Amino acid sequence: DAALAGLHQYGLITSPNSSAASQTVGAAGQLVLHPLVREVMALLMPGIDSLACLTAMDAHLIRAVNDTDQAGRAGLTTARLLTPHLAAALIRAPADHFATTRDAVNALANNVSDALLLIQHMLDAESRHLAPNDPEILGSRDFLASTLIDLGHYREATDLHQQTLTDRERTLGPNHPLTQLSRQNLASAEAAATRTRRRRWIRRRW
């Protein structure tokens, strides 16, 4: 019952339209499964290769993530449902599909409350697939630092922005647009930290 309730909550299982059901013999008590649920159930049938099954399920997951991202606010409920499964998909992603998986996770991270955890998983996965100073890793690190600022973790954000700036200066040069962006982000993080310290000091005085 709990499983059925969960599927219904996220729109993965519905009851037939009542007017249509009244015109169909034997329609009473029927349920309509979302195509994704039907395909996953087919993949889990006995005799199916487990690796092929996981690969197919991950492909369906990434398509669902992309559909959710395109839906905007209307897809937030589904986004929260999909989020816990993305870390495993990133780990399993083969080299030729890793960029697609990472981009889907990156897009979803903009719309969910678990963005910090998602970005950390993304960074961990990138470290296994890419060189340490790959621009994609530095970009994800910048994204993580900005998310830390949004959550009020100014010291961690400042340290991470400083690390990213140092790496970009070394690999891209001091005048590269991304290096300049890192410099601006670091200044913003330091300013936010200063404002927070000032507010705390004022509260203590009062």
Side-chain angles (χ1 to χ4, degrees):
D1 290 345
L4 290 174
L7 289 171
H8 184 268
Q9 178 183 358
Y10 293 108
L12 297 175
I13 187 170
T14 57
S15 300
N17 180 275
S18 57
S19 59
S22 63
Q23 301 171 12
T24 304
V25 177
Q30 290 184 356
L31 294 173
V32 178
L33 293 175
H34 189 281
L36 177 61
V37 177
R38 290 201 301 270
E39 292 179 24
V40 169
M41 290 176 64
L43 289 169
L44 294 176
M45 295 291 288
I48 298 295
D49 178 69
S50 59
L51 179 59
C53 175
L54 288 172
T55 300
M57 289 176 66
D58 286 342
H60 284 299
L61 174 62
I62 297 308
R63 283 199 292 272
V65 168
N66 290 330
D67 291 344
T68 298
D69 181 54
Q70 293 175 9
R73 292 183 61 84
L76 288 179
T77 300
T78 304
R80 286 191 288 270
L81 172 68
L82 297 175
T83 297
H85 305 284
L86 290 172
L90 277 168
I91 293 171
R92 289 192 297 263
D96 55 338
H97 291 158
F98 176 71
T100 301
T101 305
R102 181 202 56 214
D103 291 346
V105 173
N106 187 53
L108 193 65
N110 288 303
N111 299 315
V112 296
S113 57
D114 294 331
L116 182 62
L117 185 60
L118 272 182
I119 301 167
Q120 288 173 329
H121 285 314
M122 189 167 61
L123 267 170
D124 291 342
E126 284 176 338
S127 68
R128 291 191 293 271
H129 286 267
L130 306 173
N133 291 320
D134 188 284
E136 295 290 349
I137 290 183
L138 299 181
S140 296
R141 198 190 297 162
D142 220 22
F143 189 12
L144 176 59
S146 297
T147 303
L148 286 168
I149 290 177
D150 293 340
L151 296 173
H153 302 305
Y154 301 112
R155 179 177 297 177
E156 296 94 327
T158 301
D159 292 344
L160 199 52
H161 274 312
Q162 179 63 70
Q163 181 184 355
T164 304
L165 173 59
T166 300
D167 289 341
R168 278 179 168 165
E169 285 178 335
R170 185 179 66 256
T171 58
L172 301 175
N175 298 319
H176 190 279
L178 290 176
T179 305
Q180 294 176 0
L181 176 62
S182 283
R183 198 172 290 119
Q184 294 169 4
N185 289 339
L186 175 60
S188 297
E190 290 173 337
T194 299
R195 287 194 299 271
T196 300
R197 287 194 298 268
R198 186 176 297 137
R199 285 195 296 268
R200 289 173 180 170
W201 181 79
I202 291 173
R203 288 197 207 100
R204 284 196 296 267
R205 285 182 61 86
W206 289 97

